[in-house]
Amino acid sequence: METPNSDQKQLFSVRRILCVIGILLSVYALKVKYDGTSRVFTSSFGNGFGMVSHILGDDSLFNLPNSVYGAIFYAVELTLELYPTNMYGGYLLFAGCVLSNVGSIYLAMILYFVLEQNCMICVSTYAVNALLLVNTYQLIRYYPSTKRE
């Protein structure tokens, strides 16, 4: 990757900040879940997106709290961003952001229509995911092309 200009540096800085905020929100959500103070996190949708237990069972290794998946996602996004090898790396980051926003929409619908709750941690996480998607879309143009010259 070429030496980044000031716009690129700013976009990468914002991306790193968003990933750190996402990790912090995920860790805080995990704390709230284990404190048992939120109906949202202790509901059946609080683990494995409400689907894993139906498919693999309650004792499945993949039936983790959603916040653990979130922390892993933000850590992976942050790590992959540090090694931008080519345009495919940029597309991989973007695909991860699209997937996280699909998950956010799914969880937001459950929050509003099924649980009928208000959760500031959840909404904040959805906002971080949306901003990360926009940021990654803007950054893709700076990733090196995969075309041979």
Side-chain angles (χ1 to χ4, degrees), residues 102-136:
V102 169
S104 290
I105 292 167
Y106 166 74
L107 290 172
M109 291 175 65
I110 289 171
L111 182 66
Y112 184 74
F113 294 111
V114 177
L115 299 175
E116 297 177 351
Q117 295 285 309
N118 185 16
C119 172
M120 289 309 297
I121 300 170
C122 304
V123 173
S124 299
T125 303
Y126 308 154
V128 167
N129 287 343
L131 291 171
L132 203 53
L133 179 68
V134 170
N135 176 272
T136 305

Side-chain angles (χ1 to χ4, degrees), residues 25-35 41 65-68:
L25 283 168
S26 296
V27 169
Y28 184 67
L30 191 60
K31 178 196 175 307
V32 170
K33 177 182 179 57
Y34 286 112
D35 287 348
F41 297 122
N66 296 342
S67 53
V68 171

Side-chain angles (χ1 to χ4, degrees), residues 26 29-30 33 40-41 43-52 62-74 103 106-107 110 122 125-126:
S26 296
L30 191 60
K33 177 182 179 57
V40 173
F41 297 122
S43 75
S44 63
F45 296 100
N47 284 1
F49 302 96
M51 296 184 285
V52 173
F62 298 105
N63 196 26
L64 299 171
N66 296 342
S67 53
V68 171
Y69 286 113
I72 292 169
F73 165 73
Y74 294 117
Y106 166 74
L107 290 172
I110 289 171
C122 304
T125 303
Y126 308 154

